[in-house]
């Protein structure tokens, strides 16, 4: 049965219009972008097959275009459409933060670091500078290292925060290995950063570690 033959309430487009995009499953959202399915499958069935073979969703979408276009059911045009949709979402999040939006949702900072740092071949340590209302006033990659680590200097973080007139900072770095579990060195750096910033009355709100999965918040672990 083709999608247009489904009951109206079960069709992805109708569901989105009636209840919003959040009501759709990963397969349904992907189906709307694909538009049509493989021979013998509707778009939702094709999307489910892609997710089964290449998912979950984030793993599928983060594949490079050359790999996406080789997947059965995607091809070059759909690969471009998928990558464009992902970039639009990333730019939307960046725009919110870069125009000074308040960080009322801690997870948004983690997503911001992930979009900037995930997939980098070397370790990068970056800082989000915030004012007293937790509005973003700047983002900066401060230290670049190797595949195994980056040397972090708390005094330089403090100096740059003072230059930006920041009242608080959120820091983050990536693990090129893909394993986002914080190391003991990561925890030690967090302690040193918190101490150095406290001396100049600047709060360290969180330290995110970015790997293949969701970013790990050290504040959520009680380590900040």
């Amino acid at each position: 049965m083709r999608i247009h033959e489904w009951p109206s309430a079960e069709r992805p487009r109708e569901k989105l219009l009636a209840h919003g995009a959040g009501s759709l499953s990963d397969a349904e959202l992907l189906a709307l972008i694909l538009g049509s399915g493989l021979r013998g499958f509707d778009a939702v069935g094709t999307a489910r097959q892609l997710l089964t073979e290449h998912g979950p969703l984030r793993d599928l979408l983060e594949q490079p275009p050359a790999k996406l276009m080789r997947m059965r059911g995607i091809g070059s045009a759909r690969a471009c459409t998928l990558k464009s949709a992902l970039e639009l979402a990333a730019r939307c999040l960046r725009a919110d933060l870069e125009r000074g939006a308040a960080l009322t949702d801690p997870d948004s900072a983690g997503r911001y670091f992930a979009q900037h740092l995930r997939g980098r071949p070397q370790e990068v340590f970056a800082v989000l500078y915030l004012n007293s209302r937790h509005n973003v006033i700047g983002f900066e990659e401060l230290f670049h290292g190797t595949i195994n680590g980056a040397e972090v200097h708390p005094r330089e973080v403090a100096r740059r925060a003072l230059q930006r007139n920041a009242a608080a900072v959120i820091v983050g770095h990536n693990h090129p290995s893909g394993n986002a579990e914080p190391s003991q060195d990561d925890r030690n750096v967090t302690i040193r950063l918190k101490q150095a910033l406290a001396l100049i009355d600047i709060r360290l709100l969180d330290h995110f570690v970015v790997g293949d999965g969701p970013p790990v918040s050290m504040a959520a672990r009680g380590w900040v």
Side-chain angles (χ1 to χ4, degrees), residues 30 33-34 61 68 74 78-87:
L30 185 57
I33 295 175
L34 295 176
L61 295 181
L68 278 173
I74 295 185
R78 288 172 174 173
C80 291
T81 300
L82 285 169
K83 299 306 288 188
S84 296
L86 190 63
E87 180 60 22

Side-chain angles (χ1 to χ4, degrees), residues 14-126:
E14 283 74 4
K15 283 178 65 177
L16 187 151
L17 293 172
H19 306 292
S23 67
L24 272 61
S25 67
D26 289 350
E28 290 170 331
L29 288 168
L30 185 57
L32 286 178
I33 295 175
L34 295 176
S36 60
L38 293 165
R39 181 173 297 179
F41 291 90
D42 55 46
V44 175
T46 297
R48 287 172 179 157
Q49 184 173 333
L50 283 166
L51 290 170
T52 298
E53 295 177 356
H54 307 286
L57 183 63
R58 188 182 62 77
D59 289 348
L60 173 65
L61 295 181
E62 289 189 347
Q63 296 299 325
K67 187 170 181 179
L68 278 173
M69 61 190 293
R70 292 196 299 269
M71 294 179 185
R72 188 167 174 263
I74 295 185
S76 59
R78 288 172 174 173
C80 291
T81 300
L82 285 169
K83 299 306 288 188
S84 296
L86 190 63
E87 180 60 22
L88 280 172
R91 291 186 185 187
C92 184
L93 176 60
R94 288 200 296 267
D96 278 346
L97 294 181
E98 289 165 2
R99 70 181 176 214
L103 281 176
T104 55
D105 173 18
D107 289 341
S108 64
R111 292 193 297 270
Y112 189 75
F113 279 105
Q115 288 168 0
H116 277 276
L117 304 181
R118 180 178 284 138
R120 301 284 282 272
Q122 75 283 346
E123 193 165 299
V124 179
F125 183 92

Side-chain angles (χ1 to χ4, degrees), residues 109-110 113-114 117-118 123-125 170-183 185-187 190 206-219 221 223:
F113 279 105
L117 304 181
R118 180 178 284 138
E123 193 165 299
V124 179
F125 183 92
I170 299 173
V171 302
H173 74 282
N174 64 310
H175 282 176
S177 67
N179 181 2
E181 184 63 27
S183 67
D185 284 344
D186 295 336
R187 296 180 63 177
T190 303
D206 208 339
H207 183 174
F208 286 96
V209 183
V210 175
D212 287 339
V216 173
S217 162
M218 289 192 160
R221 298 273 186 97
W223 296 340

